[in-house]
């Protein structure tokens, strides 16, 4: 398995960097930091269907390609590829309400689900099976969404993962949070939709 980059820790913050409403912002679309604030990676949007995740020093981590079927209400699939063009993971969102559950597949082929129990929930759970099943599955991580600037509408995602996940699986989880953000706020749009 290739090097997973800066994803050896278990907690991250993925968020939109602070900016001024009065000046044109030219920085990355999202940053990935430690909880303490040390920048680990950046996300830039090449266009509406392709984003790049790089380390803070500029080294390539993963490319995120977005494929939409049947217009804005159809299923959305994200494909993660490394510098050699090899697939390192996928995320699929199905149905009319795309942001209730994301189906992840890691580089090693492990299926994971990122689910929130209802539209008003701010917390997403990372599990191997549907959280509504009985008995409830083991929670492998959590993603908590918050707004850090209500005036501009900047979003932040606190990502906490189980130490049992390896660095490449955490890389897939981080990339899936980028996908979650893209589903909620496509590039160039200012307000959340889900």
């Amino acid at each position: 398995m290739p090097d997973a980059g800066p994803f050896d820790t278990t907690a991250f913050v993925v968020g939109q960097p602070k900016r001024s409403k009065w000046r044109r912002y030219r920085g990355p679309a999202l940053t990935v930091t430690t909880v303490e604030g040390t920048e680990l990676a950046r996300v830039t949007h090449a266009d509406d269907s392709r984003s790049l995740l790089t380390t803070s020093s500029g080294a390539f981590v993963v490319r995120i390609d977005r494929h939409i079927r049947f217009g804005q209400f159809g299923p959305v699939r994200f494909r993660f590829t490394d510098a050699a063009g090899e697939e390192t993971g996928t995320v699929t969102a199905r149905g009319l309400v795309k942001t209730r559950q994301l189906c992840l597949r890691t580089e090693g082929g492990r299926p994971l689900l990122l689910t929130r129990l209802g539209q008003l929930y701010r917390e997403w759970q990372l599990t191997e099976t549907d959280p509504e099943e009985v008995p409830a599955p083991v929670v492998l991580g959590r993603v908590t969404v918050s707004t850090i600037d209500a005036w501009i509408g900047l979003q932040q995602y606190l990502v906490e993962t189980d130490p049992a996940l390896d660095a490449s699986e955490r890389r897939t989880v981080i990339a899936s949070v980028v996908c979650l953000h893209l589903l909620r706020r496509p590039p160039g749009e200012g307000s959340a939709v889900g």
Side-chain angles (χ1 to χ4, degrees):
M1 234 179 274
D3 178 33
F7 305 115
D8 291 328
T9 185
T10 59
F12 306 88
V13 175
V14 179
Q16 294 178 279
K18 294 208 176 199
R19 58 197 76 178
S20 169
K21 187 160 179 91
W22 311 114
R23 282 184 243 141
R24 182 171 171 86
Y25 177 73
R26 299 183 188 275
L30 298 167
T31 57
V32 180
T33 65
T34 62
V35 175
E36 296 79 23
T38 304
E39 185 176 304
L40 302 172
R42 295 175 171 206
V43 176
T44 55
H45 302 308
D47 55 41
D48 285 349
S49 63
R50 178 170 289 172
S51 301
L52 299 174
L53 177 63
T54 59
T55 64
S56 55
S57 63
F60 183 88
V61 176
V62 71
R63 185 178 75 213
I64 303 169
D65 292 308
R66 177 181 181 162
H67 305 279
I68 302 172
R69 295 183 62 199
F70 311 118
Q72 67 179 353
F73 296 114
V76 179
R77 184 172 190 266
F78 294 91
R79 182 175 181 249
F80 310 146
T81 53
D82 61 17
E86 298 293 321
E87 187 173 286
T88 59
T90 61
V91 167
T92 306
R94 300 179 202 160
L96 294 175
V97 182
K98 298 180 187 124
T99 56
R100 185 188 168 277
Q101 186 174 74
L102 302 180
C103 302
L104 289 60
R105 181 148 320 264
T106 67
E107 182 176 11
R110 183 179 188 183
L112 297 170
L113 296 173
L114 191 58
T115 309
R116 68 177 169 177
L117 299 179
Q119 288 297 102
L120 299 178
Y121 280 71
R122 293 177 29 189
E123 182 181 278
W124 296 70
Q125 294 181 349
L126 181 69
T127 57
E128 287 189 301
T129 59
D130 196 314
E132 294 180 353
E133 289 183 7
V134 176
V138 173
V139 176
L140 300 171
R142 297 181 195 290
V143 176
T144 307
V145 182
S146 61
T147 301
I148 56 171
D149 185 329
W151 194 38
I152 300 176
L154 301 180
Q155 299 292 300
Q156 177 175 283
Y157 305 82
L158 173 62
V159 182
E160 300 166 295
T161 61
D162 191 288
L165 295 178
D166 66 30
S168 71
E169 291 171 330
R170 282 192 291 275
R171 179 188 59 207
T172 300
V173 172
I174 293 298
S176 73
V177 172
V178 172
C179 297
L180 174 62
H181 182 77
L182 291 172
L183 288 168
R184 299 178 75 233
R185 301 176 148 251
E189 295 215 0
S191 61
V193 293

